[in-house]
Structure formats: structure tokens, C-alpha cells
Amino acid sequence: MVINGNVLDMIGNTPLVDVSRLSPNPDVRIVAKLESQNPFGSVKDRIAKHMIVQAEKEGRLRPGQTIMEPSSGNTGIAMAAIAQMKGYPIKILMPTSVSIERRQMLEVFGAELILTPGEEGSNGAVKRAMALAEEHPEYCFLYQYGNDNNPLAHYEGTGPEIWRDCPEITHFVAGLGTSGTLMGTGKFLKEQNPNIKIIAIEPPLGERVEGLRNLDEGYIPPLFDQWHGFDLLDRKRVVRPRESLEWTRALVREGVFAGISSGAALAGAVKVAKEIERGTIVFIVCDGGWKYLSTGAYTDDLDAAEAKAESIIYF
Ligand SMILES: Cc1ncc(COP(=O)(O)O)c(C=O)c1O
């Protein structure tokens, strides 16, 4: 073990864990990449660090400048933590419909919260942020949905780590919010082995499933186009809220206390495992379960948890 210079040096290099006991096919391994182990608790630590450090290098972010960003939680939390360490004031636009723990975490790290209507979801927060950026050109708006440093953090980090630790990978499965994880990791893995399949998890069209983004819903993150998402993705898998909760609980029984989008990704991995003869599927555990405790996702009666899940945005 080494002594890290500061917490930012501890972002990335997350562990893989075999959860093949949950595989429906004895010839298919299922491996989880625990992004929940990042210091601020999620996969978004990577992009927050990369976007902020690059903006500093490019002169887009100057000492004392205010940062402003729409986020349903994880990106905001990581950016707020880093902004506080580096002395930047930060404003986070977030829908009212996220879990209370997310708001609390942002307060812990000193962010100013601007709440947007819950029924407009993440897209509403993005729209408000765009308008605010026009009104306040003095703010530094890093815009995770269109910033190449988001997928680049995965192209330079998540992808190489998976390839180093699990070169036998045949399928990569992740949820899609900004698409940064899938674009960056997917592009890197395909460059190493074009036979690796890249699979996005989506909610059914028109159904509000835990804030997962359905690409047919009208908003395609600019990054998805910039990184040629339709060419890069091999398949999409639709996962319903109940399946996400069930598989999140199954992960807990393996000792992996993960957030709901991780259950959605695992549900997708299980569907893939049923369809293929053999292989090794790596899926992303985006965050831990801590920020979802108030939702009852782990302990409530499943019907009640499912009903609640419809109104909460998880990412
Ligand atoms: C919990 C969680 N899962 C999945 C995602 C999706 O990741 P990405 O934005 O890289 O597509 C996010 C972020 O939006 C998230 O916060």
C-alpha cells in the first residue's frame, strides 16, 4: 500500500468481483466492477475529476470561479467534493424527485442546491442549466452530457482497468445516463477486441424506470452522437423497475450493497447470460446502496418498493 497524496489520487482502480453464483448459465461468468469503491461513492468520481482538471488546464476554469452543473446526484456529489477541496463555489441543479440522501450529500460537500420540478426529471434540470449558463456566462458549465472528458475518463481509466484485470471479457453491460461510461469504456474495449459486445440497459419506452434513460424518449445526450453510439452499441436490453429491485437485492445477498441502477445492469447481464452459450460478462456497479436507504428499496415489501421506484430518479 502507498500513502496517497490526496483523495483525488484514490479515484479509479476499482476492484472486480465474481458474482457468477447469480448466473443462470454455468458457462457464463458474471463479474461486477465496483465503482462504488471510489472515494465519493460512485463511477462519477472519475468524470468529475477529469472534467475539472482538464478545464483548469485549458483555462476554462479559473481560481474562485463558480461551477454550475445539472445532476441527479452522483456527478453533483463528486463535483461538489472536488470543488470544495479546490476552493470553487458550486451550484447543482437537481430534480426534487431524487432521494433525500443525495441532497444531504450535496449539502455535506457545501454545494448550493437549485431544485427543478420533479416531474420534469433529469431533462428538466439539464434545460434549466442551459438557460442559466446563457444568463451567467461567468459560470463554468462543464456539461457532463456533452463534455468529451466524461467518456475520456472511462476510455483512459475504466476500459484499460477492465482489460488489464479481465482480458477474457466477452460482454460489457452498463446503464445509460449521459452515456459516458458506455461510450468511453466501450470504445476502448472494442479497440482491444472488436468481438466484445457492448450492451446498454434501458427502461421500457414511456415507463419511468429509476431514471434510466431510454434513447427513444426524445433526448439523446450529445456525447452519444459525438462518440458514434449507434455504431458502438451492439444491443440494448430493456429492464423494468421490479427486475432492477430484485437483482439489487440478489447482489446484497452476495455481499454487494449496491444502488438500484446496478441491479438494472445485473438484470441485463442475466438476460444476456441466458442467450449466449459461454462467455464472461462485466457489468458496472455504479454506486453503493447508502444513498437509497430512505427509498425502502432493500427492505420494503417488493410491491411497495416498486411503486415508490416509479417516482424516484436514481440517475
Ligand atoms: C447511479 C447511476 N447509474 C448509472 C449512471 C449512468 O452512467 P453514464 O452517465 O456514464 O451513462 C449514472 C449517471 O448518470 C448514475 O448516477
Side-chain angles (χ1 to χ4, degrees):
M1 289 298 247
V2 294
I3 297 177
N4 291 285
N6 68 45
V7 170
L8 299 188
D9 293 344
M10 293 157 57
I11 293 175
N13 267 315
T14 53
L16 294 178
V17 62
D18 193 315
V19 292
S20 299
R21 286 209 311 186
L22 302 175
S23 177
N25 179 342
D27 294 321
V28 177
R29 267 176 101 196
I30 301 184
V31 176
K33 183 151 174 76
L34 301 187
E35 290 299 309
S36 44
Q37 302 275 327
N38 280 304
F40 311 122
S42 84
V43 66
K44 296 296 187 169
D45 288 20
R46 295 177 185 269
I47 75 157
K49 176 181 166 186
H50 207 57
M51 291 196 307
I52 288 176
V53 169
Q54 288 306 117
E56 286 175 330
K57 279 190 193 156
E58 291 158 15
R60 279 183 63 197
L61 178 58
R62 292 175 303 279
Q65 197 178 353
T66 296
I67 300 174
M68 187 265 302
E69 187 70 26
S71 164
S72 52
N74 282 331
T75 303
I77 292 166
M79 284 180 76
I82 298 171
Q84 193 177 49
M85 286 172 74
K86 288 174 169 279
Y88 301 110
I90 185 164
K91 296 176 194 289
I92 300 293
L93 292 94
M94 202 166 73
T96 51
S97 42
V98 300
S99 70
I100 182 70
E101 292 92 333
R102 295 184 170 221
R103 291 197 215 175
Q104 290 171 326
M105 287 299 291
L106 286 167
E107 282 160 11
V108 165
F109 288 122
E112 183 193 325
L113 273 183
I114 301 174
L115 292 173
T116 60
E119 62 278 9
E120 291 176 19
S122 308
N123 289 351
V126 174
K127 253 193 252 152
R128 272 291 301 278
M130 300 275 219
L132 206 61
E134 293 252 316
E135 280 167 42
H136 291 276
E138 74 278 16
Y139 291 167
C140 177
F141 180 30
L142 294 173
Y143 189 37
Q144 58 168 333
Y145 290 88
N147 189 326
D148 282 327
N149 290 310
N150 166 355
L152 277 174
H154 297 290
Y155 183 79
E156 292 168 8
T158 321
E161 289 168 27
I162 292 173
W163 185 244
R164 178 195 66 201
D165 297 338
C166 185
E168 63 275 29
I169 179 174
T170 55
H171 295 73
F172 176 69
V173 180
L176 188 145
T178 64
S179 78
T181 309
L182 279 159
M183 296 300 101
T185 312
K187 181 170 157 56
F188 180 86
L189 291 174
K190 285 262 189 207
E191 284 171 0
Q192 314 314 307
N193 174 0
N195 295 325
I196 296 174
K197 302 277 183 264
I198 310 299
I199 296 147
I201 301 305
E202 282 192 347
L205 185 64
E207 244 180 78
R208 174 109 145 240
V209 183
E210 349 220 302
L212 280 175
R213 190 175 292 286
N214 186 307
L215 285 176
D216 302 324
E217 223 157 55
Y219 177 78
I220 296 191
L223 280 178
F224 190 82
D225 276 339
Q226 284 157 222
W227 285 60
H228 308 290
F230 284 112
D231 297 333
L232 192 65
L233 288 190
D234 290 283
R235 267 184 271 172
K236 300 191 283 184
R237 276 282 161 276
V238 172
V239 172
R240 309 191 90 97
R242 196 179 182 92
E243 293 173 282
S244 310
L245 290 169
E246 282 168 349
W247 287 103
T248 304
R249 291 180 182 196
L251 267 180
V252 170
R253 291 193 291 274
E254 294 302 303
V256 179
F257 180 43
I260 319 300
S261 79
S262 311
L266 172 58
V270 166
K271 284 176 205 261
V272 172
K274 282 182 187 156
E275 291 160 7
I276 60 177
E277 247 173 63
R278 60 179 51 81
T280 299
I281 304 173
V282 175
F283 76 99
I284 297 285
V285 167
C286 288
D287 59 2
W290 304 102
K291 294 188 303 287
Y292 309 88
L293 280 173
S294 69
T295 69
Y298 306 89
T299 46
D300 276 8
D301 165 74
L302 202 53
D303 291 330
E306 184 185 359
K308 253 195 233 166
E310 302 279 343
S311 61
I312 295 172
I313 293 176
Y314 289 122
F315 61 91

